[in-house]
Amino acid sequence: MQQYPGVTSISPQEKNLSAELMQQVAEHKGCGTSGGSGKASCGSSAAQGDMPPEIWEKVKNHPCYSEEAHHHYARMHVAVAPACNIQCNYCNRKYDCANESRPGVVSEKLTPEQAAKKVLAVASTIPQMTVLGIAGPGDPLANPEKTFKTFDLIYKTAPDIKLCLSTNGLALPDHVDTIKSFNVDHVTITINMVDPEIGAEIYPWIFYKHKRIKGKEAAKILSEHQLQGLEMLTERGILCKVNSVMIPGINDQHLVEVNKAVKSRGAFLHNIMPLISAPEHGTVFGLNGQRGPTAQELKRLQDNCEGEMNMMRHCRQCRADAVGLLGEDRSAEFTTEKIMAMDVQYDAGTRKAYQELVEHERQEKVAAKNSELSELAAQRSDIKLLVAVATKGQGRINEHFGHAKEFQVYELSTAGAKFVGHRRVDLYCQGGYGEEDSLATIIRALNDCNAVFVAKIGGCPRDELSKAGIQPVEQYAHEFIEQSAIAWFKDYLEKINSGEISHVRKGDADIRQGAYVAA
């Protein structure tokens, strides 16, 4: 393997300093999504709160590590790492589709040189792009030469861009010091188990020390390396996010133990994702009929784990060549043919000026939310309910109901508005006409929500949503999401207290479902 400059073992002084920082992360419980308080949580506020300055600088404009930042900042992945050293039953890297959003999927594989030019082209076109990640389509650390050559080129030409990688963790302990030497501040490790018995049901084999190893032995080696790598990274002050795929009947209950294990080793954030297992993807789980979790099952597990550490709720399970804001993919605008023909002029000053404008809007958004929160503070109620929001980004209610591909879901209470997830749906409007089958699918996806906030909605879906006990809300079109949701909830409570409406729970009481009905 090529040796890179600056690769050294961690010093005792650095280890002590990093241990102190790790303790601060543990006490802070990572990147929060608690919402409402406006303090201490990169997931609920644009303010630093009580977060250590070193951590705040790493997360404040990282769309994956901060729920609040993902409304404003974009990321991109470059597909330079095709080889993989493990096989997962939920993965098939051969499948590709322009409309597919699934980890491991790419349209083009790139050389490090092509990737570096693509990063400069995207960053010049999308000034809010702050993060470059390598996530595959295989495993970055099964392709160390290509991965670190790419980081080297980008670090030299665009030092303002944050560098990240995602790995299965098998080879992680061997590369921690190299990762540190390139100032990679964020690493994601996919950890689906800490019990080899369960791991054997997820991983058919690993390739380790030039041998293919199967069964529980393979899962044991993988788990040991994942946890060891996590500890080594956190000792060096590198923020770690742990991804876990929720597989009903296999590891869904076990992920509570995974959560405790990664928390104790300094993980900053835990992202529990739903299994994607459609048969057409050609994965083992897809072909054998293994189902994925419902949105309600996923939320319940995330809620159960949140007592141990804070959860990432805004993940979109991106392609390995994704470009743009979370929830959008602009990779088709930046094909190899197009970027090779571009005359790229990287202007860090213009990017900085644009991002300063973004920060100004973020502060406006927080001020508006806090203003509404101060009025809500006087309310006394134990009611919690869910609302859905149609948004294109920027933290605003700015999407037409019929054009929404997903809805962001918030839990409202007297503590404020807490982001709890998103629901992907079929587009209702197709060529200007509403599809009734799609509308029924959307209503099923949102049936635990009391209201849906939209920029605009047609008469037919308005009536059908109302019949299903979901109130369409247009009055806050193009306003900030959290400010509007809190204002609506305050009005909702006032109407309940006056007897004008009744709060009716329906279905699973743990989800706090309700209907907006006349008293």
Side-chain angles (χ1 to χ4, degrees):
M1 174 180 170
Q2 178 181 345
Q3 295 299 309
Y4 293 93
V7 179
T8 59
S9 297
I10 186 169
S11 70
Q13 293 82 5
E14 290 174 317
K15 187 168 184 177
N16 289 337
L17 180 61
S18 295
E20 292 175 7
L21 183 60
M22 188 172 133
Q23 180 63 28
Q24 288 178 303
V25 173
E27 291 174 354
H28 184 267
K29 295 175 65 180
C31 175
T33 53
S34 57
S37 67
K39 298 191 302 179
S41 168
C42 65
S44 65
S45 171
Q48 180 179 342
D50 65 0
M51 187 176 298
E54 301 92 336
I55 298 175
W56 172 245
E57 286 302 314
K58 293 178 181 181
V59 304
K60 67 179 182 180
N61 62 356
H62 196 306
C64 301
Y65 281 70
S66 168
E67 185 278 314
E68 199 281 329
H70 98 275
H71 295 291
H72 305 279
Y73 290 105
R75 85 310 186 209
M76 72 173 294
H77 295 163
V78 289
V80 298
C84 196
N85 49 9
I86 72 173
Q87 179 60 52
C88 310
N89 281 333
Y90 52 73
C91 183
N92 180 5
R93 288 177 297 278
K94 295 180 180 179
Y95 185 85
D96 180 37
C97 170
N99 296 315
E100 173 73 347
S101 182
R102 182 168 56 86
V105 174
V106 297
S107 294
E108 296 179 308
K109 298 183 182 72
L110 304 175
T111 66
E113 292 76 14
Q114 289 172 329
K117 184 169 183 180
K118 181 175 181 178
V119 170
L120 297 181
V122 170
S124 299
T125 306
I126 307 175
Q128 68 269 38
M129 195 279 279
T130 56
V131 172
L132 179 280
I134 299 178
D139 188 84
L141 300 183
N143 305 257
E145 297 289 338
K146 294 177 180 178
T147 294
F148 293 121
K149 177 67 177 297
T150 303
F151 281 153
D152 188 36
L153 292 171
I154 294 167
Y155 180 70
K156 290 175 179 176
T157 54
D160 61 312
I161 295 176
K162 296 182 187 296
L163 302 179
C164 306
L165 68 82
S166 296
T167 177
N168 59 48
L170 179 60
L172 181 57
D174 296 333
H175 297 285
V176 167
D177 287 320
T178 307
I179 291 169
K180 177 68 175 179
S181 74
F182 281 100
N183 291 323
V184 176
D185 282 334
H186 308 79
V187 173
T188 295
I189 313 168
T190 299
I191 302 179
N192 294 318
M193 54 84 203
V194 291
D195 180 346
E197 292 272 0
I198 293 173
E201 298 185 59
I202 303 171
Y203 305 104
W205 53 261
I206 66 171
F207 193 75
Y208 178 63
K209 291 188 176 180
H210 309 290
K211 293 191 301 182
R212 183 171 294 194
I213 304 171
K214 300 180 180 180
K216 287 188 292 184
E217 181 185 1
K220 182 175 184 292
I221 294 170
L222 177 61
S223 180
E224 289 173 349
H225 285 220
Q226 290 171 337
L227 297 178
Q228 179 189 2
L230 172 59
E231 287 185 338
M232 292 172 70
L233 289 168
T234 55
E235 284 175 352
R236 288 154 176 79
I238 297 172
L239 292 189
C240 294
K241 174 167 67 71
V242 170
N243 283 354
S244 299
V245 179
M246 180 181 177
I247 311 165
I250 294 180
N251 74 342
D252 47 346
Q253 302 301 316
H254 177 61
L255 286 179
V256 175
E257 296 305 313
V258 172
N259 180 265
K260 293 176 181 177
V262 301
K263 165 69 174 177
S264 69
R265 289 165 174 81
F268 181 70
L269 193 61
H270 194 188
N271 173 31
I272 299 179
M273 309 177 294
L275 172 71
I276 300 174
S277 60
E280 59 267 25
H281 297 158
T283 66
V284 171
F285 282 150
L287 294 175
N288 71 13
Q290 172 64 51
R291 73 173 182 89
T294 66
Q296 290 80 9
E297 288 172 332
L298 178 65
K299 180 181 181 297
R300 193 176 299 115
L301 177 58
Q302 291 171 332
D303 290 346
N304 288 341
C305 290
E306 195 166 45
E308 294 297 323
M309 67 183 297
N310 284 295
M311 309 299 294
M312 179 180 181
R313 309 266 190 160
H314 60 283
C315 177
R316 299 306 196 275
Q317 295 177 269
C318 305
R319 291 166 57 102
D321 58 2
V323 174
L325 295 170
L326 296 192
E328 74 173 5
D329 186 7
R330 298 176 59 179
S331 58
E333 300 174 32
F334 301 96
T335 63
T336 303
E337 181 179 1
K338 290 178 181 178
I339 63 171
M340 289 300 125
M342 290 181 181
D343 179 21
V344 179
Q345 301 294 325
Y346 189 74
D347 186 348
T350 298
R351 282 172 46 78
K352 182 179 179 181
Y354 183 90
Q355 290 174 23
E356 286 174 352
L357 293 175
V358 170
E359 285 303 311
H360 179 70
E361 179 164 273
R362 287 178 75 180
Q363 295 300 330
E364 286 186 340
K365 173 185 168 185
V366 172
K369 179 190 74 173
N370 289 341
S371 175
E372 290 294 341
L373 271 176
S374 64
E375 296 185 26
L376 183 62
Q379 297 280 357
R380 293 290 183 269
S381 174
D382 63 353
I383 289 177
K384 292 184 179 180
L385 53 83
L386 302 182
V387 298
V389 180
T391 177
K392 296 178 183 178
Q394 293 79 53
R396 294 182 182 270
I397 304 163
N398 53 11
E399 183 70 282
H400 190 295
F401 175 84
H403 298 161
K405 295 180 181 179
E406 70 167 31
F407 292 87
Q408 297 190 6
V409 178
Y410 288 77
E411 182 181 81
L412 305 184
S413 70
T414 53
K418 172 183 174 181
F419 180 86
V420 294
H422 59 93
R423 309 282 172 85
R424 289 179 179 154
V425 297
D426 296 327
L427 276 174
Y428 175 63
C429 286
Q430 305 286 343
Y433 297 93
E435 295 288 342
E436 297 310 314
D437 288 344
S438 295
L439 179 56
T441 300
I442 294 171
I443 290 174
R444 284 196 298 272
L446 304 181
N447 67 1
D448 55 345
C449 296
N450 282 66
V452 57
F453 290 70
V454 297
K456 193 174 182 180
I457 188 170
C460 177
R462 171 188 293 279
D463 293 343
E464 293 302 312
L465 285 165
S466 297
K467 289 178 184 177
I470 305 170
Q471 182 193 6
V473 180
E474 290 179 275
Q475 70 197 73
Y476 302 104
H478 303 286
E479 299 295 331
F480 289 122
I481 293 171
E482 293 184 15
Q483 173 195 17
S484 302
I486 293 169
W488 178 87
F489 184 64
K490 181 162 61 72
D491 181 64
Y492 182 92
L493 293 180
E494 289 173 355
K495 289 180 177 178
I496 290 174
N497 292 335
S498 68
E500 183 179 344
I501 64 170
S502 298
H503 177 70
V504 181
R505 295 180 185 178
K506 48 181 182 172
D508 187 347
D510 291 336
I511 303 173
R512 304 272 184 161
Q513 294 176 317
Y516 191 91
V517 297

